[in-house]
Amino acid sequence: MSKFGELVDLNIPVLLDFYTEWNDASKAMHPVLRDVAAALGDKAKVIKIDVDKNAQLAEALRVKALPTLMIYKNGEMKWRQSGEQDANTIIGLIKEYI
C-alpha cells in the first residue's frame, strides 16, 4: 500500500486502470490506454493494476466493476469511472489536470 502512495503522489496526472485478464471489457481497454499513453507522453502516467494480483488495494479503493479508471494528481483522486471509455474522452479528462 505504501508504494501506491508513491505512485499517485506525482505532480502530473496519473491514470490508474484496474483490470483483470479474464474480463472482456478490461481487455478491450488495453489498446485504448496504449493510445492515451502515446498521446500524452511524459505529461501523464498510465498505470495498469491487475485486481487479481492487488486485491487488497482494489478492496481498499472499493473497486467493484471492471474496468475502473481513476485519475490522481498530487496524491488526490480527481476523477473515477467504471466501464469502458474511449481514448479521446480519457485524454480530454487528463488534460484538465495537466
Side-chain angles (χ1 to χ4, degrees):
M1 276 299 230
S2 62
K3 279 192 172 188
F4 176 76
E6 293 170 25
L7 285 177
V8 299
D9 195 20
L10 299 175
N11 63 356
I12 60 170
V14 179
L15 174 68
L16 302 179
D17 169 37
F18 288 85
Y19 76 100
T20 62
E21 288 300 333
W22 49 263
N23 179 276
D24 289 337
S26 290
K27 287 193 283 193
M29 287 300 296
H30 292 338
V32 172
L33 294 172
R34 270 196 299 274
D35 291 347
V36 169
L40 294 169
D42 59 2
K43 294 186 187 100
K45 196 167 190 158
V46 177
I47 299 172
K48 298 168 66 55
I49 299 174
D50 188 332
V51 171
D52 290 334
K53 295 177 183 164
N54 297 280
Q56 194 175 7
L57 175 60
E59 193 174 307
L61 292 172
R62 296 187 185 100
V63 173
K64 304 283 186 226
L66 297 172
T68 293
L69 303 170
M70 300 176 194
I71 297 174
Y72 276 81
K73 186 170 180 184
N74 297 321
E76 182 183 332
M77 186 188 303
K78 301 292 187 180
W79 176 85
R80 176 183 175 139
Q81 182 77 43
S82 294
E84 294 179 63
Q85 303 287 321
D86 66 87
N88 289 334
T89 300
I90 296 170
I91 290 166
L93 285 161
I94 291 173
K95 282 186 174 178
E96 290 179 30
Y97 303 108
I98 292 178

